mmCIF file of all heavy atoms in Angstrom:
data_model
loop_
_atom_site.group_PDB
_atom_site.id
_atom_site.type_symbol
_atom_site.label_atom_id
_atom_site.label_comp_id
_atom_site.label_asym_id
_atom_site.label_seq_id
_atom_site.Cartn_x
_atom_site.Cartn_y
_atom_site.Cartn_z
ATOM 1 N N HIS A 415 -19.686 22.148 20.826
ATOM 2 C CA HIS A 415 -20.520 23.351 20.963
ATOM 3 C C HIS A 415 -20.781 23.956 19.607
ATOM 4 O O HIS A 415 -19.824 24.377 18.887
ATOM 5 C CB HIS A 415 -19.846 24.371 21.900
ATOM 6 C CG HIS A 415 -20.790 25.304 22.566
ATOM 7 N ND1 HIS A 415 -21.529 26.275 21.763
ATOM 8 C CD2 HIS A 415 -21.269 25.490 23.806
ATOM 9 C CE1 HIS A 415 -22.283 26.992 22.543
ATOM 10 N NE2 HIS A 415 -22.136 26.478 23.747
ATOM 11 N N PRO A 416 -22.063 24.092 19.191
ATOM 12 C CA PRO A 416 -22.345 24.624 17.801
ATOM 13 C C PRO A 416 -22.129 26.067 17.596
ATOM 14 O O PRO A 416 -22.013 26.603 16.517
ATOM 15 C CB PRO A 416 -23.764 24.210 17.557
ATOM 16 C CG PRO A 416 -24.338 24.203 18.903
ATOM 17 C CD PRO A 416 -23.229 23.695 19.874
ATOM 18 N N ASP A 417 -22.180 26.856 18.737
ATOM 19 C CA ASP A 417 -22.069 28.333 18.642
ATOM 20 C C ASP A 417 -21.312 28.893 19.897
ATOM 21 O O ASP A 417 -21.978 29.385 20.790
ATOM 22 C CB ASP A 417 -23.473 28.870 18.590
ATOM 23 C CG ASP A 417 -23.542 30.357 18.304
ATOM 24 O OD1 ASP A 417 -22.481 30.930 17.935
ATOM 25 O OD2 ASP A 417 -24.579 31.006 18.472
ATOM 26 N N PRO A 418 -19.972 28.726 19.869
ATOM 27 C CA PRO A 418 -19.249 29.187 21.084
ATOM 28 C C PRO A 418 -19.492 30.578 21.533
ATOM 29 O O PRO A 418 -19.547 30.869 22.777
ATOM 30 C CB PRO A 418 -17.725 28.958 20.637
ATOM 31 C CG PRO A 418 -17.875 27.817 19.677
ATOM 32 C CD PRO A 418 -19.144 28.044 18.898
ATOM 33 N N PRO A 419 -19.688 31.617 20.634
ATOM 34 C CA PRO A 419 -19.953 32.939 21.105
ATOM 35 C C PRO A 419 -21.221 33.118 21.919
ATOM 36 O O PRO A 419 -21.340 34.024 22.723
ATOM 37 C CB PRO A 419 -20.094 33.802 19.815
ATOM 38 C CG PRO A 419 -19.210 33.024 18.809
ATOM 39 C CD PRO A 419 -19.468 31.618 19.085
ATOM 40 N N ALA A 420 -22.117 32.106 21.787
ATOM 41 C CA ALA A 420 -23.439 32.150 22.568
ATOM 42 C C ALA A 420 -23.263 31.444 23.954
ATOM 43 O O ALA A 420 -24.222 31.475 24.702
ATOM 44 C CB ALA A 420 -24.484 31.511 21.708
ATOM 45 N N MET A 421 -22.088 30.908 24.166
ATOM 46 C CA MET A 421 -21.952 30.247 25.470
ATOM 47 C C MET A 421 -22.033 31.263 26.641
ATOM 48 O O MET A 421 -21.357 32.338 26.562
ATOM 49 C CB MET A 421 -20.602 29.485 25.502
ATOM 50 C CG MET A 421 -20.424 28.655 26.779
ATOM 51 S SD MET A 421 -18.802 27.849 26.842
ATOM 52 C CE MET A 421 -18.901 26.778 25.351
ATOM 53 N N PRO A 422 -22.757 30.954 27.699
ATOM 54 C CA PRO A 422 -22.804 31.907 28.806
ATOM 55 C C PRO A 422 -21.463 32.117 29.419
ATOM 56 O O PRO A 422 -20.649 31.188 29.539
ATOM 57 C CB PRO A 422 -23.754 31.185 29.800
ATOM 58 C CG PRO A 422 -24.471 30.150 29.048
ATOM 59 C CD PRO A 422 -23.545 29.779 27.887
ATOM 60 N N GLN A 423 -21.171 33.341 29.791
ATOM 61 C CA GLN A 423 -19.929 33.692 30.430
ATOM 62 C C GLN A 423 -20.198 34.046 31.879
ATOM 63 O O GLN A 423 -21.072 34.875 32.242
ATOM 64 C CB GLN A 423 -19.228 34.923 29.748
ATOM 65 C CG GLN A 423 -18.783 34.599 28.267
ATOM 66 C CD GLN A 423 -17.741 33.588 28.241
ATOM 67 O OE1 GLN A 423 -16.813 33.565 28.972
ATOM 68 N NE2 GLN A 423 -17.909 32.658 27.207
ATOM 69 N N TYR A 424 -19.481 33.416 32.844
ATOM 70 C CA TYR A 424 -19.725 33.581 34.232
ATOM 71 C C TYR A 424 -18.501 34.332 34.858
ATOM 72 O O TYR A 424 -17.356 33.846 34.669
ATOM 73 C CB TYR A 424 -19.882 32.258 34.951
ATOM 74 C CG TYR A 424 -21.134 31.493 34.462
ATOM 75 C CD1 TYR A 424 -21.054 30.535 33.406
ATOM 76 C CD2 TYR A 424 -22.400 31.706 35.067
ATOM 77 C CE1 TYR A 424 -22.240 29.917 32.962
ATOM 78 C CE2 TYR A 424 -23.506 31.026 34.676
ATOM 79 C CZ TYR A 424 -23.406 30.182 33.595
ATOM 80 O OH TYR A 424 -24.531 29.488 33.090
ATOM 81 N N ARG A 425 -18.806 35.392 35.590
ATOM 82 C CA ARG A 425 -17.688 36.108 36.254
ATOM 83 C C ARG A 425 -17.271 35.383 37.496
ATOM 84 O O ARG A 425 -18.135 34.933 38.215
ATOM 85 C CB ARG A 425 -18.195 37.503 36.594
ATOM 86 C CG ARG A 425 -18.431 38.449 35.376
ATOM 87 C CD ARG A 425 -18.769 39.853 35.818
ATOM 88 N NE ARG A 425 -18.986 40.731 34.672
ATOM 89 C CZ ARG A 425 -19.262 42.035 34.847
ATOM 90 N NH1 ARG A 425 -19.436 42.568 36.044
ATOM 91 N NH2 ARG A 425 -19.390 42.811 33.740
ATOM 92 N N PRO A 426 -15.983 35.339 37.759
ATOM 93 C CA PRO A 426 -15.513 34.770 38.977
ATOM 94 C C PRO A 426 -15.988 35.486 40.232
ATOM 95 O O PRO A 426 -16.255 36.638 40.211
ATOM 96 C CB PRO A 426 -13.959 34.745 38.850
ATOM 97 C CG PRO A 426 -13.766 35.041 37.406
ATOM 98 C CD PRO A 426 -14.859 35.817 36.923
ATOM 99 N N ASP A 427 -16.112 34.764 41.340
ATOM 100 C CA ASP A 427 -16.464 35.442 42.603
ATOM 101 C C ASP A 427 -15.317 36.371 43.044
ATOM 102 O O ASP A 427 -14.217 36.291 42.606
ATOM 103 C CB ASP A 427 -16.671 34.355 43.674
ATOM 104 C CG ASP A 427 -17.809 33.424 43.393
ATOM 105 O OD1 ASP A 427 -18.736 33.856 42.590
ATOM 106 O OD2 ASP A 427 -17.880 32.340 43.977
ATOM 107 N N LYS A 428 -15.674 37.284 43.905
ATOM 108 C CA LYS A 428 -14.665 38.220 44.447
ATOM 109 C C LYS A 428 -13.469 37.467 45.069
ATOM 110 O O LYS A 428 -13.638 36.494 45.809
ATOM 111 C CB LYS A 428 -15.350 39.092 45.455
ATOM 112 C CG LYS A 428 -14.412 40.267 45.951
ATOM 113 C CD LYS A 428 -15.158 41.168 46.902
ATOM 114 C CE LYS A 428 -14.295 42.337 47.419
ATOM 115 N NZ LYS A 428 -15.000 43.211 48.350
ATOM 116 N N GLY A 429 -12.304 37.956 44.722
ATOM 117 C CA GLY A 429 -11.110 37.308 45.221
ATOM 118 C C GLY A 429 -10.551 36.308 44.303
ATOM 119 O O GLY A 429 -9.401 35.750 44.585
ATOM 120 N N LEU A 430 -11.305 35.836 43.304
ATOM 121 C CA LEU A 430 -10.806 34.812 42.308
ATOM 122 C C LEU A 430 -10.617 35.497 40.998
ATOM 123 O O LEU A 430 -11.238 36.458 40.665
ATOM 124 C CB LEU A 430 -11.852 33.777 42.207
ATOM 125 C CG LEU A 430 -12.312 33.051 43.513
ATOM 126 C CD1 LEU A 430 -13.446 32.047 43.133
ATOM 127 C CD2 LEU A 430 -11.164 32.404 44.280
ATOM 128 N N ARG A 431 -9.653 34.968 40.177
ATOM 129 C CA ARG A 431 -9.481 35.516 38.866
ATOM 130 C C ARG A 431 -9.132 34.421 37.870
ATOM 131 O O ARG A 431 -8.526 33.435 38.209
ATOM 132 C CB ARG A 431 -8.377 36.574 38.914
ATOM 133 C CG ARG A 431 -7.025 36.046 39.241
ATOM 134 C CD ARG A 431 -5.979 37.240 39.391
ATOM 135 N NE ARG A 431 -4.681 36.739 39.803
ATOM 136 C CZ ARG A 431 -3.677 36.388 38.931
ATOM 137 N NH1 ARG A 431 -3.894 36.467 37.627
ATOM 138 N NH2 ARG A 431 -2.527 36.015 39.360
ATOM 139 N N LEU A 432 -9.548 34.626 36.577
ATOM 140 C CA LEU A 432 -9.175 33.691 35.525
ATOM 141 C C LEU A 432 -7.793 34.004 34.957
ATOM 142 O O LEU A 432 -7.399 35.240 34.850
ATOM 143 C CB LEU A 432 -10.243 33.810 34.417
ATOM 144 C CG LEU A 432 -11.667 33.281 34.786
ATOM 145 C CD1 LEU A 432 -12.682 33.732 33.781
ATOM 146 C CD2 LEU A 432 -11.574 31.730 34.882
ATOM 147 N N ALA A 433 -7.135 32.981 34.572
ATOM 148 C CA ALA A 433 -5.769 33.128 33.968
ATOM 149 C C ALA A 433 -5.388 31.885 33.221
ATOM 150 O O ALA A 433 -6.001 30.828 33.461
ATOM 151 C CB ALA A 433 -4.708 33.424 35.048
ATOM 152 N N PRO A 434 -4.422 31.937 32.338
ATOM 153 C CA PRO A 434 -3.901 30.679 31.740
ATOM 154 C C PRO A 434 -3.241 29.852 32.820
ATOM 155 O O PRO A 434 -2.740 30.345 33.803
ATOM 156 C CB PRO A 434 -2.920 31.199 30.637
ATOM 157 C CG PRO A 434 -3.227 32.609 30.470
ATOM 158 C CD PRO A 434 -3.821 33.137 31.741
ATOM 159 N N VAL A 435 -3.174 28.592 32.606
ATOM 160 C CA VAL A 435 -2.422 27.673 33.525
ATOM 161 C C VAL A 435 -0.942 27.933 33.298
ATOM 162 O O VAL A 435 -0.457 28.084 32.130
ATOM 163 C CB VAL A 435 -2.797 26.169 33.178
ATOM 164 C CG1 VAL A 435 -1.973 25.299 34.161
ATOM 165 C CG2 VAL A 435 -4.282 26.015 33.429
ATOM 166 N N SER A 436 -0.169 27.978 34.412
ATOM 167 C CA SER A 436 1.252 28.281 34.314
ATOM 168 C C SER A 436 2.033 26.996 34.406
ATOM 169 O O SER A 436 1.525 25.927 35.046
ATOM 170 C CB SER A 436 1.610 29.110 35.503
ATOM 171 O OG SER A 436 3.060 29.119 35.686
ATOM 172 N N PRO A 437 3.193 26.857 33.750
ATOM 173 C CA PRO A 437 4.060 25.694 33.902
ATOM 174 C C PRO A 437 4.359 25.297 35.357
ATOM 175 O O PRO A 437 4.608 24.217 35.701
ATOM 176 C CB PRO A 437 5.344 26.018 33.107
ATOM 177 C CG PRO A 437 4.851 27.001 32.099
ATOM 178 C CD PRO A 437 3.743 27.805 32.759
ATOM 179 N N ALA A 438 4.335 26.347 36.211
ATOM 180 C CA ALA A 438 4.621 26.117 37.649
ATOM 181 C C ALA A 438 3.476 25.311 38.331
ATOM 182 O O ALA A 438 3.699 24.743 39.387
ATOM 183 C CB ALA A 438 4.758 27.516 38.379
ATOM 184 N N HIS A 439 2.352 25.181 37.640
ATOM 185 C CA HIS A 439 1.228 24.442 38.154
ATOM 186 C C HIS A 439 1.212 22.975 37.727
ATOM 187 O O HIS A 439 0.356 22.182 38.102
ATOM 188 C CB HIS A 439 -0.078 25.079 37.762
ATOM 189 C CG HIS A 439 -0.193 26.509 38.191
ATOM 190 N ND1 HIS A 439 -0.865 27.500 37.413
ATOM 191 C CD2 HIS A 439 0.184 27.180 39.300
ATOM 192 C CE1 HIS A 439 -0.829 28.650 37.988
ATOM 193 N NE2 HIS A 439 -0.116 28.527 39.170
#
Side-chain angles (χ1 to χ4, degrees):
H415 202 292
D417 187 13
M421 185 182 299
Q423 297 294 318
Y424 297 92
R425 291 184 178 182
D427 295 341
K428 186 177 180 179
L430 308 178
R431 64 183 178 91
L432 289 167
V435 179
S436 166
H439 304 145

